[in-house]
Amino acid sequence: MKIILLGAPGAGKGTQATKIAEKYGLIHISTGDIFRANIKGGTEIGKLAKSYIDAGKLVPDSVTCEIVKDRLSKQDVIGGYLLDGFPRSLYQAEELSKFADVDLCLNLEVDPALIMDRICGRRVCACGESYHVSTLNGSTTCAKCGGELYQRDDDNPETVKARLGTYNVMTAPLIAYYSAQNKLATVVCGTKTPDEVFEDVCKVLDSFQK
Ligand code: AP5
């Protein structure tokens, strides 16, 4: 399966992507993670990306599309992949269609009222695990690997507002775009836990595979 995971900031894309990739044996490709790794590594791409990420804007298409095109040219994606956070605009979707033929766009629909708390309360580990402070009982280390938890630089109220604005203008039109291609499936998250959302996601993916 070649899947796009779509959703507003904080919809749970990363959370679900980890579970989906593990259960269905797909390669998880997150453009946000790729940019953050470049920022950490001090690369030229990282230096460029940081200014856009901190402002809640999209990193320029020329850079982003090239990164994804290059990643999808690797051998390990032959068995299937999951694109988390790409495409994020109609332009990126058109570019993607030139070098990949995705099967499904899975849209995670979340109540906008939940987003600010989810993101500003998020703590992440370098291993990729993500938590909400309310579930940590004061712990500052990762339950999975023991690493120190930290807050992403763009997980602050001001940047989250900008990210949501960017999503509404640039990314939300992709829902209609993939719906018109009969490739859209929406999972409504409501107040469901990550595991409950995952059950709904599996129903969609299992029926798609049949
Ligand atoms: P990116 O890293 O993709 O960030 P995002 O889209 O804003 O998404 P998030 O990572 O914030 O949220 P998520 O949906 O993954 O939710 P999560 O599972 O973590 O992109 C960052 C930046 O990089 C962009 O702003 C842009 O600048 C740049 N960028 C990336 N891709 C780009 C592209 N294609 N083009 C140009 N620029 C690009 O969950 C969030 C929180 O909620 C966590 O605390 C989690 O524990 C909790 N949670 C999850 N599910 C539930 C649930 N069901 N119930 C309760 N809590 C939950």
Side-chain angles (χ1 to χ4, degrees):
M1 278 189 292
K2 295 174 229 161
I3 304 173
I4 291 168
L5 206 48
L6 189 65
K13 300 184 294 297
T15 304
Q16 295 303 320
T18 306
K19 295 172 184 287
I20 295 168
E22 192 180 324
K23 176 165 178 181
Y24 294 91
L26 303 177
I27 300 290
H28 175 197
I29 301 169
S30 157
T31 39
D33 285 350
I34 292 171
F35 289 134
R36 282 184 287 278
N38 274 278
I39 292 170
K40 202 173 169 194
T43 69
E44 287 307 313
I45 287 176
K47 284 175 198 157
L48 173 85
K50 184 162 173 50
S51 59
Y52 290 92
I53 291 175
D54 287 351
K57 294 180 181 166
L58 296 186
V59 178
D61 288 329
S62 54
V63 176
T64 310
C65 293
E66 205 47 47
I67 284 175
V68 176
K69 187 177 179 185
D70 178 65
R71 184 65 189 84
L72 293 186
S73 70
K74 307 282 186 240
Q75 283 298 309
D76 64 342
V77 303
I78 281 176
Y81 55 81
L82 181 62
L83 290 174
D84 165 4
F86 184 92
R88 244 175 159 97
S89 65
L90 290 170
Y91 178 84
Q92 291 184 4
E94 287 292 336
E95 286 301 300
L96 177 66
S97 70
K98 294 176 190 169
F99 55 80
D101 187 17
V102 294
D103 302 307
L104 181 73
C105 175
L106 187 63
N107 175 36
L108 296 180
E109 195 176 288
V110 66
D111 180 348
L114 298 174
I115 290 176
M116 190 60 81
D117 172 65
R118 275 193 185 189
I119 298 188
C120 293
R122 173 169 50 193
R123 299 294 180 269
V124 293
C125 177
C127 77
E129 279 297 298
S130 161
Y131 303 85
H132 191 274
V133 274
S134 61
T135 64
L136 286 170
N137 292 323
S139 170
T140 58
T141 53
C142 175
K144 199 171 172 189
C145 75
E148 198 63 32
L149 299 178
Y150 60 94
Q151 192 167 21
R152 273 169 45 177
D153 287 346
D154 59 341
D155 282 357
N156 62 77
E158 197 187 333
T159 310
V160 173
K161 270 187 214 153
R163 285 158 64 190
L164 283 171
T166 301
Y167 169 80
N168 288 330
V169 173
M170 303 297 292
T171 312
L174 292 177
I175 295 172
Y177 177 87
Y178 285 111
S179 175
Q181 296 180 19
N182 290 320
K183 287 185 173 176
L184 187 84
T186 294
V187 169
V188 180
C189 303
T191 53
K192 292 178 181 170
T193 65
D195 285 343
E196 288 167 341
V197 173
F198 186 55
E199 276 179 30
D200 292 345
V201 165
C202 290
K203 280 180 201 154
V204 170
L205 297 185
D206 291 344
S207 67
F208 177 77
Q209 275 188 319
K210 276 177 194 159

